[in-house]
Amino acid sequence: MSFLQKLGIVGVRGVAGRLPLSGRAHGGPQGYAPVSAPRGAENQEAARVSNCLKEFLWNLDGLGRGALLDLGPAWQTTLSFFIERGFRVSSEDLLRSWKEFLTEEEKRLKSAAGGSLDGVDMSADGRAERFLQANLKYPAASFDAMLVWDLLDYLEPALSRRVVPALTDLLRPGGVVFAMFHSRKPEGFQRYRIADSMTLQILPAAVIAPAQRIYQNREIQELFGRYRTMKSFVSRDQLREVLFIK
């Protein structure tokens, strides 16, 4: 059985409808290119009041021309929300990049003589190291804020243990992280974008990768052990929002 099958990623398709811009998108009042959202998803979107988002924005108030990294799809509404407030925004859909990376790894393995790659560590730790060598390539202390969403629930634990320190290195002292964690295995896959200063839009989507781990509070604290403040917001929809301050 291949490692893609073990992760449950074989055979899944991307988000239905037109995809938002993926990769990196940088913007400012004079340099932003609009991004189209999938029309099909808009018809199914739901609104969610987010006290954590309100706190996240309160911590950024008065920052001026800060820099933000969005680790989800580059939705126009989210980018515009921050660009209008003077932020320079970078967007990197890390979960989609991870799925594409695993697909390429599988192709390499199948094409290799004897079905193995000499000298290549095919363990979870080895994959995590190779993935990070090609992603999140920003200078240290580049950002004042990050939107992590529920990304960590869908990455292999070996990768999550490396992604969080890598993101921490990219964050300036006093920087703020907005993250979400499922309290039980999610029944479906969804994406998020910002509607206003207290509201998130939830958009159902085709599965990119299945959930890999449901983190307990102690595990979350260990992952983000380098942060001086952690504040959780628990709601009835099985999503825990967490604010971290470096």
Side-chain angles (χ1 to χ4, degrees), residues 17-21 34-42 45 74-77 193 203:
R18 283 189 299 145
L19 289 172
L21 180 67
V35 180
S36 297
R39 294 185 181 276
E42 288 177 348
E45 69 187 31
W75 297 112
Q76 179 175 346
T77 52
R193 63 189 183 196
L203 300 103

Side-chain angles (χ1 to χ4, degrees), residues 16-209:
R18 283 189 299 145
L19 289 172
L21 180 67
S22 61
R24 296 176 186 173
H26 304 273
Q30 303 300 322
Y32 172 61
V35 180
S36 297
R39 294 185 181 276
E42 288 177 348
N43 295 330
Q44 304 174 49
E45 69 187 31
R48 182 181 196 276
V49 174
S50 174
N51 290 317
C52 188
L53 176 61
K54 179 181 178 182
E55 187 99 359
F56 177 80
L57 296 173
W58 182 84
N59 278 276
L60 297 179
D61 188 37
L63 185 62
R65 298 188 62 82
L68 178 138
L69 176 60
D70 183 351
L71 293 171
W75 297 112
Q76 179 175 346
T77 52
T78 300
L79 295 176
S80 296
F81 180 88
F82 287 101
I83 289 168
E84 290 169 1
R85 287 159 176 77
F87 277 78
R88 177 175 56 84
V89 181
S90 298
S91 181
E92 186 162 347
D93 190 350
L94 204 65
L95 184 58
R96 184 168 295 279
S97 297
W98 171 239
K99 193 249 180 173
E100 292 170 352
F101 167 83
L102 290 177
T103 300
E104 289 302 315
E105 290 265 297
E106 182 81 354
K107 290 179 180 177
R108 290 177 59 201
L109 190 60
K110 287 182 177 179
S111 63
S116 63
L117 296 170
D118 293 337
V120 178
D121 183 358
M122 298 304 293
S123 68
D125 288 333
R127 290 195 297 273
E129 289 293 340
R130 286 193 299 281
F131 178 73
L132 285 177
Q133 287 173 6
N135 293 274
L136 295 176
K137 307 304 289 183
Y138 304 94
S142 293
F143 300 101
D144 301 285
M146 294 181 182
L147 297 171
V148 176
W149 306 116
D150 57 355
L151 168 70
L152 298 175
D153 287 349
Y154 293 92
L155 298 180
E156 282 189 282
L159 178 56
S160 291
R161 289 194 297 269
R162 288 164 172 78
V163 162
V164 173
L167 293 176
T168 303
D169 290 341
L170 298 181
L171 200 64
R172 294 166 184 155
V176 189
V177 173
F178 176 99
M180 307 170 81
F181 296 89
H182 294 269
S183 59
R184 66 183 183 188
K185 187 175 181 179
E187 297 178 356
F189 184 77
Q190 54 198 25
R191 297 289 208 166
Y192 311 89
R193 63 189 183 196
I194 293 177
D196 57 45
S197 59
M198 282 196 64
T199 310
L200 296 177
Q201 292 175 337
I202 301 175
L203 300 103
V207 177
I208 294 177

